[in-house]
Amino acid sequence: MNHRLRGMHQCHPDIIQVSRISSLIGNAVLMALAAAYLIVAEYKDWTLLPGWIALGLFALSLIWYTWFAPGLFYRTFGFKVSDEELELRSGWIWLNDTVVPMTRIQHVELESGPMLRKYGLAEIKVVTAAKTHVIKALKLEEAEKLKLQIGELAKVVEHDE
C-alpha cells in the first residue's frame, strides 16, 4: 500500500473492474466513430489522416484507461473521516491532499449508476460551496453508513420529499 495512505480507507477493489469495463465501452464507441469516419472519407474521397490519427489516439486511450489508470487510482486514493474533517488523498504524479472541514459541508449524496449497481457499489458526493468531492466505489452498505456519518458530523438536515 502507498505510504501516503497509511491509516486511511480505500475504495473497494471492484472499482478496477468497473473502470475497465466503462473505459472499454467508451473507447469502443469512439473507435467505432473514427472507423465510420474512415469509411465515409474513403467513399467521399476525403482525407483519411484525421480518421487514422483519431483511431490511434483512441487506441492509446483504450490501453491507458483500461489497463493502467484503474489500478493506479485504486492504489493512490484514500479517505479518512474524523469528527472535525474529511480528508481525501489521491494522485501518483500530482499529489492531491484535501481537507474538508465538516462545518463547510452543505450536503451529502449517494449515487450508484448501472455499472456500480452491478457490483453492489456506490459513490458518495460531499458538496461544499466551492466543490463536490467524490469518494468512489464503496460497498453499498458501507456507503450508506458513511453518508449518514458524514451527514451527522456536518449537521446536514435530511428533508423528506
Side-chain angles (χ1 to χ4, degrees):
M1 185 201 295
N2 186 336
H3 73 281
R4 293 180 61 239
L5 302 180
R6 215 171 272 130
M8 301 190 98
H9 300 284
Q10 285 192 280
C11 298
H12 194 274
D14 284 346
I15 187 60
I16 295 171
Q17 190 69 17
V18 170
S19 295
R20 285 181 174 163
I21 293 170
S22 298
S23 172
L24 188 63
I25 292 169
N27 278 290
V29 168
L30 293 173
M31 290 177 77
L33 289 172
Y37 172 83
L38 286 171
I39 292 168
V40 170
E42 183 68 33
Y43 176 74
K44 297 273 191 176
D45 209 27
W46 296 343
T47 181
L48 300 177
L49 187 61
W52 286 114
I53 291 172
L55 202 56
L57 290 174
F58 295 147
L60 290 174
S61 173
L62 175 76
I63 293 166
W64 175 255
Y65 287 105
T66 302
W67 296 109
F68 299 109
L72 274 175
F73 172 79
Y74 173 72
R75 287 190 303 275
T76 59
F77 178 82
F79 68 95
K80 182 168 48 173
V81 178
S82 69
D83 291 343
E84 295 85 30
E85 62 195 23
L86 167 66
E87 186 176 359
L88 303 164
R89 289 188 182 164
S90 62
W92 176 53
I93 295 173
W94 291 274
L95 304 178
N96 186 7
D97 294 334
T98 304
V99 176
V100 181
M102 288 295 174
T103 57
R104 299 287 186 214
I105 295 174
Q106 293 180 340
H107 67 276
V108 185
E109 302 173 359
L110 184 104
E111 286 189 7
S112 187
M115 286 298 297
L116 289 174
R117 277 195 311 271
K118 181 178 189 283
Y119 286 86
L121 302 175
E123 67 183 22
I124 296 176
K125 292 186 176 182
V126 178
V127 180
T128 65
K131 187 175 181 182
T132 299
H133 305 277
V134 180
I135 301 172
K136 293 186 177 187
L138 300 172
K139 275 295 187 190
L140 185 57
E141 302 81 29
E142 182 184 354
E144 288 172 345
K145 287 178 188 175
L146 188 60
K147 175 191 170 246
L148 291 174
Q149 179 189 6
I150 293 172
E152 288 173 10
L153 291 170
K155 295 178 179 47
V156 173
V157 178
E158 250 187 73
H159 299 288
D160 292 334
E161 294 180 13

